[in-house]
Amino acid sequence: MNLTKTRLAGLTALLAGSLLAGSALAQTEVKLGYALAVDSHYGVAANKWQEVVEAETDGRYTFTHFPSSGLGGEREVLEGLQIGTVEATIVSSGTLSNFVPEAGVFDIPFLFRNLEHARAVMDGEVGDELLTKFEDAGMIALAWGEQGFRHITNNRGAIDGPDDMAGLKLRTMENPVHITAFETLGAAPTPMAWPEVIGALQQGTIDGQENPLSVITSAKLSEVQKHLTLSGHVYSPAMLLVSPDLWNGMSDEDKAAFTKGATEAVTAMRGFVDEVEASGVEELRAAGMEVGELSDEQKAQFQEALAAAYEQYYGQYDRALIEKITAVE
Ligand code: PAF
């Protein structure tokens, strides 16, 4: 009797062990890289993406997060996707137009009226069509996320108009549209990968940078920057992508799970951005930043000062596309 019991227990353990081994074999690791901390809008999106995919696929995909640029700058991570060393990422539009030039149209300053307008464009025909263009660049773009509107921080002084930009050593993303804009305004744009930015601000090799409130708060830029100008000079989209290696090996059901996860991640991300838009300025004031906001009149002065840059953009991007974007309600 005792012997039978022992054998049974042994068999059960063996069976459980082989089941576990079987499920472990069937699991695929997804390395997910992003530039900001886990408690940022990127982390919120990453967690939601993981949660939905794991639930929809009965845990056949396991996510390993690499927050805070743990896999390098955004350009490096996108290159990792192309060659299959990284499975998934959430990135800003910083370097996207270096891979799909058309994506740069969203980086044109003062193109979007407000978050509602931007979201309607990203969720509509124009946004959807641009997502499909990434496949030819060796990446699978599943959804547009968002960071908010970008604002300028610096240690030199308040910015009340375009003249205050003269000679300002401003870190920009490695983004040709942004670089053109700041050059046209007379600043000294310094394109730099994000992992180098805090050090450069601390050492004073640059005076400032520009990013949305979601980034300024989560990266604690108030510790290294004195002035914040709510310029809202450009909308800052984000994107959720996976590698073709991962995607092409998936069943249609698994692809649907990743797409559903990405869509829900964007909803969570936008919710987080809405909260930071409401509370971020007070938080940054309390942390010691001096905050100014450009009036509509001052924004119009910036747009006038950008006239030569707009001429360049109109040569580069289809004017009908720009008009289609501005016409979206
Ligand atoms: O400024 C940037 O490079 C981006 O906005 C950041 C902070 C890496 C988030 O994607």
Side-chain angles (χ1 to χ4, degrees), residues 24 27 81 83 86 114 158 182 220 241 247 267 269 272 302:
Q27 278 185 328
L81 277 193
I83 57 170
V86 178
N114 48 40
F182 287 110
K220 300 189 174 33
L241 306 105
W247 189 252
T267 306
M269 195 177 200
F272 189 100
F302 269 85

Side-chain angles (χ1 to χ4, degrees), residues 272-296:
F272 189 100
V273 167
D274 283 339
E275 277 172 29
V276 184
E277 291 288 317
S279 62
V281 171
E282 275 327 298
E283 187 184 322
L284 294 167
R285 272 206 180 101
M289 288 191 97
E290 282 175 21
V291 185
E293 180 164 10
L294 293 186
S295 64
D296 288 346

Side-chain angles (χ1 to χ4, degrees), residues 35-36 42 74 91-92 147 150 171 173 194 210-212 215 236:
L36 300 164
Y42 279 21
E74 293 189 333
V91 290
S92 69
Q147 308 211 77
R150 300 179 82 88
R171 176 269 174 174
M173 300 193 288
W194 176 250
E210 46 81 63
N211 251 306
V215 177
S236 194

Side-chain angles (χ1 to χ4, degrees), residues 67-327:
S68 306
S69 307
L71 295 176
E74 293 189 333
R75 180 195 277 271
E76 277 171 278
V77 175
L78 289 170
E79 286 166 357
L81 277 193
Q82 288 177 314
I83 57 170
T85 53
V86 178
E87 284 78 32
T89 189
I90 305 174
V91 290
S92 69
S93 67
T95 63
L96 289 181
S97 63
N98 297 304
F99 297 92
V100 175
E102 294 96 314
V105 72
F106 295 141
D107 298 317
I108 296 179
F110 302 107
L111 176 70
F112 294 102
R113 295 183 295 280
N114 48 40
L115 284 180
E116 289 67 38
H117 177 213
R119 290 173 184 179
V121 173
M122 297 323 222
D123 293 345
E125 205 185 312
V126 179
D128 285 349
E129 206 182 311
L130 263 162
L131 287 179
T132 64
K133 295 198 187 289
F134 281 79
E135 195 161 355
D136 285 345
M139 342 175 173
I140 308 296
L142 295 186
W144 286 104
E146 118 183 332
Q147 308 211 77
F149 277 86
R150 300 179 82 88
H151 306 293
I152 301 169
T153 67
N154 81 98
N155 282 331
R156 199 176 71 173
I159 294 171
D160 298 319
D163 290 351
D164 295 320
M165 299 300 294
L168 188 72
K169 279 187 259 152
L170 190 79
R171 176 269 174 174
T172 66
M173 300 193 288
E174 298 162 88
N175 179 309
V177 172
H178 289 188
I179 296 168
T180 299
F182 287 110
E183 263 167 12
T184 307
L185 290 171
T190 312
M192 193 182 278
W194 176 250
E196 296 162 41
V197 175
I198 310 270
L201 289 170
Q202 272 164 341
Q203 284 157 22
T205 50
I206 47 173
D207 300 314
Q209 64 83 53
E210 46 81 63
N211 251 306
L213 291 174
S214 57
V215 177
I216 300 171
T217 52
S218 67
K220 300 189 174 33
L221 291 184
S222 53
E223 291 174 5
V224 287
Q225 293 277 263
K226 185 73 192 152
H227 301 275
L228 164 63
T229 304
L230 299 169
S231 48
H233 53 279
V234 69
Y235 178 63
S236 194
M239 189 180 264
L240 286 78
L241 306 105
V242 295
S243 71
D245 269 12
L246 177 72
W247 189 252
N248 294 334
M250 280 188 207
S251 65
D252 287 349
E253 289 74 25
D254 290 356
K255 285 180 181 172
F258 270 80
T259 307
K260 181 177 178 200
T263 308
E264 292 193 23
V266 170
T267 306
M269 195 177 200
R270 286 178 179 174
F272 189 100
V273 167
D274 283 339
E275 277 172 29
V276 184
E277 291 288 317
S279 62
V281 171
E282 275 327 298
E283 187 184 322
L284 294 167
R285 272 206 180 101
M289 288 191 97
E290 282 175 21
V291 185
E293 180 164 10
L294 293 186
S295 64
D296 288 346
E297 211 182 334
Q298 287 167 325
K299 283 188 184 174
Q301 289 167 7
F302 269 85
Q303 281 174 275
E304 267 170 48
L306 282 166
Y310 286 120
E311 277 316 306
Q312 214 168 304
Y313 302 144
Y314 292 142
Q316 217 170 335
Y317 299 103
D318 183 5
R319 199 155 183 156
L321 174 65
I322 297 177
E323 279 161 12
K324 193 170 171 180
I325 292 171
T326 50

